[in-house]
Amino acid sequence: MNENTVKFDKKHFFIVALTIFIFSMCDFLVAYFFQDVLKSPFFFDTIFMIAALFLFGPIASLIEYILFISFTCIKLKILYGKTDFVFLYTLSAFTIILVTWLFIRKKENLNKGLNLTFLYILTASVVAGLSCSVVSGFINYYFANCLFQIEWNFNIFIFAFNSEYMDLLTSSIIGRIPVTILDRVVTTFLGFGISKLYSRIIYGER
């Protein structure tokens, strides 16, 4: 094997690893700003996870989210003294990554003009949002006692649907759908934009 190739691979690995770490910190800061500072029901905590997905693929994207959720667990441990079920949201992230990847894995589909690119990303966002709502809804349902002890603002959407006519599981899923789909649309398009900017700066791509 050529020595220059070995050096290039090591350099590339270091750049990717550093990028994933920085991306996870960025997602943590975005989530902190929207959730803890603005008290918003939106987290927007997967913008850079999606950017990693476009740039490096699903494994790197999942690693990025695991780092992010680890930082979140540390924050919750400091603020509430426990983290409980929060790490299970990795299942939601895995669902988002898997569904989105099914749409974007063929890069040529994202280079067929602005309209088709927009349609692919929008469709991926909506389908991922619906899928994530179901997975997160089940997590919310089975860990409801822990969930409602933490002042997360999306709880108001769950409470809005929870009544004598709708059980907690159904309301946990339906209550998440509008928030999650909007979150997915925003984060997926931003993640795509960040990935294009990154490729232009780091790799000189157009």
Side-chain angles (χ1 to χ4, degrees), residues 49-127:
M49 181 192 82
I50 293 298
L53 180 63
F54 278 106
L55 286 167
F56 310 122
I59 295 176
S61 183
L62 185 60
I63 292 172
E64 189 276 348
Y65 188 84
I66 291 173
L67 286 173
F68 156 75
I69 206 70
S70 298
F71 297 143
T72 302
C73 286
I74 292 171
K75 183 196 76 171
L76 292 175
K77 187 71 175 179
I78 294 172
L79 293 179
Y80 298 97
K82 56 183 179 179
T83 59
D84 292 319
F85 68 100
V86 177
F87 207 86
L88 285 177
Y89 279 116
T90 304
L91 296 174
S92 300
F94 178 78
T95 302
I96 293 169
I97 291 169
L98 178 62
V99 173
T100 306
W101 182 248
L102 290 176
F103 282 90
I104 70 165
R105 69 188 189 282
K106 294 183 179 180
K107 299 298 183 183
E108 60 270 20
N109 290 334
L110 301 176
N111 295 296
K112 293 183 177 180
L114 184 61
N115 290 339
L116 281 177
T117 299
F118 176 84
L119 184 61
Y120 265 103
I121 295 176
L122 181 63
T123 305
S125 303
V126 173
V127 176

Side-chain angles (χ1 to χ4, degrees), residues 116-152:
L116 281 177
T117 299
F118 176 84
L119 184 61
Y120 265 103
I121 295 176
L122 181 63
T123 305
S125 303
V126 173
V127 176
L130 290 171
S131 304
C132 179
S133 295
V134 174
V135 174
S136 297
F138 273 97
I139 295 173
N140 291 354
Y141 173 72
Y142 285 109
F143 293 89
N145 291 333
C146 301
L147 176 72
F148 299 140
Q149 290 174 11
I150 299 176
E151 296 179 356
W152 281 343

Side-chain angles (χ1 to χ4, degrees), residues 158-172 174:
I158 297 175
F159 291 141
F161 287 95
N162 186 217
S163 66
E164 61 180 308
Y165 303 106
M166 189 176 295
D167 60 37
L168 181 59
L169 175 59
T170 306
S171 62
S172 294
I174 294 179

